[in-house]
Amino acid sequence: MVERELIEECRNGDLHNFRKVVDKSTPLIFSVAYRMLGDEDAARDIVQETMVAVWQKLAKIKTAESYKTWVYRIAVNKCYDQLRKLKRQKENRYDDQGWAVIANHLSENGIAELENRENAMIINLLTNQLSPRQKTVFVLSELEGMEAEEIVNITGMAKSVVKANLYYARKNIGSLLQKYL
Amino acid sequence: MKKTEENVRYDKIVQILRNSSPDLKNPEEIENEVIGRIQPQNLKNGRISDFIETLFSWVYIGWVRRSLIGISAVLIAIFVYQQAFIFRQVKAISKNIVITGNESSDVSSSVLGRRLTLYRMSSRLSPAGEIRIPESQLEELLDSYNELQVKYKDLLRIIEENPELKKTIEKKLKEEKNNKPEI
């Protein structure tokens, strides 16, 4: 990901090297934010805010090795707050067109690569009924491929809580797949 | 059998989603915006922190340093307020006295004396506190005073030159003095 030397240079106020850090961190943050929020503009805002926060708090980072966890923590926390706000306004409705798209992909033999919009639509459809915690754990574990230990460090949840949330997320999505397909 | 089918579907859809990493368009735009947001902040913070560092680098304990910075800020604020207050007071006082002409060192002591006399006269005539004399009137008064002085000197010279006139005037003055009742 981001080299230790780059982080050290940035900690000394080197803006030129920070540009490289932004360049390397942006795809990772965007991926998590987009999968969690399902909105490109919101995800771009999260990337910006996260990188500005990273620059402001760079001196507080204990070791350059912990950078990845640390930057994910900032981004995930921002997304989590956003999800909580959205959850209040969200209305649940059945989207037969969306389920038809999922059914179509499931019937295909290979593993299709989705466009951004389709990707967001499917994630939103599957995770619509999940709590912000369950959705966060689902995205980090199942879509970003992180280990439970890593999720514990990023979210600050206990390992048992992470596992429980993942279990309920899987169960919920499984029952949706059973119900609509 | 049913459970397995559900799991297969779940695994497949998760696999599809995991493989389809969101594509970020124009990442350089975000990069520029982030740098743009950081730069002015960095410049401002840098200057302030450099200044504070120069002043308080001798204090090593964090809370002592913060307290000193706070106290300094308060003292500076009090000083600025005090200066502003004094300035306002001086401005108010200066409004009460009108002095005409140049107040430079070339003003002779006699002229200054005359001005002081005029000032005393005007303060006796005006009520205590605010004295306002228009500049044009004051100049007119000074001119007529100077003219009077010249005429007085001329009169004295004429009297000196003419002994008879002098005698007559002295006689008149004596008479006036004798006729004046004593208080």
Side-chain angles (χ1 to χ4, degrees), chain B residues 136-165:
Chain B
S136 57
Q137 281 186 19
L138 197 64
E139 267 177 11
E140 211 178 304
L141 195 66
L142 276 168
D143 287 347
S144 61
Y145 178 79
N146 288 337
E147 206 181 317
L148 203 66
Q149 288 271 49
V150 171
K151 279 181 180 171
Y152 178 68
K153 275 176 190 168
D154 285 349
L155 195 67
L156 282 177
R157 189 175 43 80
I158 291 164
I159 292 167
E160 286 294 325
E161 282 170 2
N162 193 338
E164 265 191 41
L165 185 66

Coordinates of all heavy atoms in Angstrom, one line a residue, chain B residues 136-165:
Chain B
S136 N -12.2 80.6 11.4 CA -12.2 81.9 10.7 C -12.4 83.1 11.7 O -11.7 84.1 11.6 CB -13.3 81.9 9.7 OG -14.5 81.7 10.3
Q137 N -13.2 82.9 12.7 CA -13.5 84.0 13.6 C -12.3 84.2 14.5 O -11.9 85.4 14.8 CB -14.7 83.6 14.5 CG -16.0 83.8 13.8 CD -17.2 83.6 14.8 OE1 -17.0 83.6 16.0 NE2 -18.3 83.4 14.2
L138 N -11.6 83.1 14.8 CA -10.4 83.2 15.7 C -9.3 84.0 14.9 O -8.6 84.9 15.5 CB -9.9 81.8 16.1 CG -9.0 81.8 17.3 CD1 -9.6 82.3 18.6 CD2 -8.5 80.4 17.5
E139 N -9.2 83.7 13.7 CA -8.2 84.4 12.8 C -8.5 85.9 12.7 O -7.6 86.7 12.8 CB -8.1 83.7 11.4 CG -7.1 82.6 11.4 CD -7.0 81.9 10.0 OE1 -7.7 82.4 9.1 OE2 -6.4 80.9 10.0
E140 N -9.8 86.2 12.6 CA -10.2 87.6 12.5 C -9.9 88.3 13.8 O -9.4 89.4 13.7 CB -11.7 87.5 12.3 CG -12.3 88.7 11.5 CD -13.8 88.6 11.3 OE1 -14.2 87.5 10.8 OE2 -14.5 89.5 11.7
L141 N -10.1 87.6 14.9 CA -9.9 88.2 16.2 C -8.4 88.5 16.4 O -8.0 89.6 16.8 CB -10.4 87.2 17.3 CG -10.5 87.8 18.7 CD1 -11.6 88.8 18.7 CD2 -10.8 86.6 19.6
L142 N -7.6 87.5 16.0 CA -6.1 87.7 16.1 C -5.6 88.9 15.2 O -4.8 89.7 15.6 CB -5.4 86.4 15.6 CG -5.3 85.3 16.7 CD1 -4.8 84.0 16.1 CD2 -4.2 85.8 17.8
D143 N -6.2 89.0 14.0 CA -5.8 90.0 13.1 C -6.1 91.4 13.7 O -5.3 92.3 13.7 CB -6.5 89.9 11.7 CG -5.9 88.7 11.0 OD1 -4.8 88.3 11.4 OD2 -6.5 88.3 10.0
S144 N -7.3 91.5 14.2 CA -7.8 92.8 14.7 C -6.9 93.2 16.0 O -6.6 94.3 16.2 CB -9.2 92.8 15.0 OG -9.5 91.8 16.0
Y145 N -6.6 92.1 16.7 CA -5.8 92.3 17.9 C -4.4 92.9 17.5 O -3.9 93.8 18.1 CB -5.6 91.0 18.7 CG -4.8 91.1 19.9 CD1 -5.3 91.6 21.1 CD2 -3.5 90.6 19.9 CE1 -4.5 91.6 22.3 CE2 -2.6 90.6 21.0 CZ -3.2 91.2 22.2 OH -2.4 91.2 23.3
N146 N -3.8 92.2 16.5 CA -2.5 92.7 16.0 C -2.5 94.1 15.5 O -1.7 94.9 15.7 CB -2.0 91.7 14.9 CG -1.6 90.4 15.4 OD1 -1.2 90.3 16.6 ND2 -1.6 89.4 14.6
E147 N -3.6 94.4 14.8 CA -3.8 95.8 14.2 C -3.9 96.8 15.4 O -3.3 97.9 15.3 CB -5.1 95.7 13.4 CG -5.2 96.8 12.3 CD -6.5 96.8 11.6 OE1 -6.9 95.6 11.3 OE2 -7.0 97.8 11.3
L148 N -4.6 96.4 16.4 CA -4.8 97.2 17.6 C -3.4 97.5 18.2 O -3.1 98.7 18.6 CB -5.7 96.5 18.5 CG -6.4 97.4 19.5 CD1 -7.4 98.4 18.9 CD2 -7.2 96.6 20.6
Q149 N -2.6 96.5 18.3 CA -1.3 96.6 18.9 C -0.4 97.6 18.1 O 0.2 98.5 18.7 CB -0.6 95.2 18.9 CG -1.1 94.2 19.8 CD -0.4 94.3 21.2 OE1 -0.3 95.4 21.7 NE2 0.0 93.2 21.7
V150 N -0.5 97.5 16.8 CA 0.3 98.4 15.9 C -0.2 99.8 16.1 O 0.6 100.8 16.2 CB 0.1 97.9 14.4 CG1 0.8 99.0 13.5 CG2 0.8 96.6 14.2
K151 N -1.5 100.0 16.1 CA -2.1 101.3 16.3 C -1.7 101.9 17.6 O -1.4 103.1 17.8 CB -3.6 101.3 16.1 CG -4.0 101.3 14.7 CD -5.5 101.2 14.5 CE -5.9 101.2 13.1 NZ -7.3 101.0 12.9
Y152 N -1.7 101.1 18.6 CA -1.3 101.5 20.0 C 0.1 102.0 20.0 O 0.4 103.1 20.6 CB -1.5 100.4 21.0 CG -1.2 100.6 22.4 CD1 -1.9 101.6 23.2 CD2 -0.1 100.0 23.0 CE1 -1.5 101.8 24.5 CE2 0.3 100.2 24.3 CZ -0.4 101.2 25.0 OH -0.1 101.4 26.3
K153 N 1.0 101.2 19.4 CA 2.4 101.6 19.3 C 2.6 103.0 18.6 O 3.4 103.8 19.0 CB 3.2 100.5 18.6 CG 3.6 99.4 19.6 CD 4.4 98.3 18.9 CE 4.5 97.1 19.8 NZ 5.0 95.9 19.0
D154 N 1.9 103.1 17.5 CA 1.9 104.3 16.7 C 1.5 105.5 17.5 O 2.1 106.6 17.5 CB 1.0 104.2 15.4 CG 1.6 103.3 14.4 OD1 2.8 103.0 14.5 OD2 0.9 102.9 13.4
L155 N 0.4 105.3 18.2 CA -0.1 106.4 19.1 C 0.9 106.8 20.2 O 1.1 108.0 20.4 CB -1.4 105.9 19.8 CG -2.3 106.9 20.4 CD1 -2.9 107.8 19.4 CD2 -3.4 106.2 21.2
L156 N 1.5 105.8 20.8 CA 2.6 106.1 21.8 C 3.7 106.9 21.2 O 4.2 107.8 21.8 CB 3.1 104.8 22.4 CG 2.2 104.1 23.4 CD1 2.9 102.8 23.9 CD2 2.0 105.0 24.6
R157 N 4.1 106.5 19.9 CA 5.2 107.2 19.3 C 4.8 108.7 19.0 O 5.6 109.6 19.3 CB 5.5 106.5 17.9 CG 6.8 107.0 17.2 CD 7.1 106.1 16.0 NE 5.9 105.8 15.2 CZ 5.4 106.7 14.3 NH1 5.9 107.9 14.2 NH2 4.3 106.3 13.6
I158 N 3.6 108.9 18.5 CA 3.1 110.2 18.2 C 3.1 111.1 19.5 O 3.5 112.2 19.5 CB 1.7 110.2 17.6 CG1 1.8 109.6 16.2 CG2 1.1 111.6 17.5 CD1 0.5 109.1 15.6
I159 N 2.7 110.5 20.6 CA 2.6 111.2 21.8 C 4.0 111.6 22.3 O 4.2 112.7 22.8 CB 1.9 110.3 22.9 CG1 0.4 110.2 22.5 CG2 2.0 111.0 24.3 CD1 -0.4 109.2 23.3
E160 N 4.9 110.6 22.2 CA 6.3 110.9 22.6 C 7.0 112.0 21.8 O 7.7 112.8 22.3 CB 7.2 109.6 22.4 CG 6.9 108.5 23.4 CD 7.3 108.9 24.8 OE1 8.4 109.6 25.0 OE2 6.6 108.5 25.7
E161 N 6.6 112.0 20.5 CA 7.2 113.0 19.6 C 6.6 114.5 19.9 O 7.3 115.5 19.6 CB 6.9 112.7 18.1 CG 7.9 111.6 17.7 CD 7.5 111.0 16.3 OE1 6.5 111.5 15.7 OE2 8.1 110.0 15.9
N162 N 5.4 114.5 20.4 CA 4.8 115.8 20.6 C 4.6 116.0 22.1 O 3.7 115.5 22.8 CB 3.4 115.8 19.9 CG 2.8 117.1 19.8 OD1 3.1 118.0 20.6 ND2 1.9 117.3 18.9
P163 N 5.6 116.9 22.7 CA 5.5 117.1 24.2 C 4.2 117.7 24.7 O 3.8 117.4 25.8 CB 6.7 118.0 24.4 CG 7.5 118.0 23.2 CD 6.6 117.6 22.1
E164 N 3.7 118.6 23.9 CA 2.5 119.3 24.3 C 1.3 118.3 24.4 O 0.5 118.4 25.4 CB 2.2 120.4 23.2 CG 2.7 121.7 23.7 CD 2.2 122.9 22.8 OE1 1.0 122.9 22.5 OE2 3.0 123.8 22.5
L165 N 1.2 117.5 23.4 CA 0.2 116.5 23.4 C 0.3 115.6 24.6 O -0.7 115.2 25.2 CB 0.3 115.7 22.1 CG -0.9 114.7 21.8 CD1 -2.2 115.4 21.7 CD2 -0.6 113.8 20.6

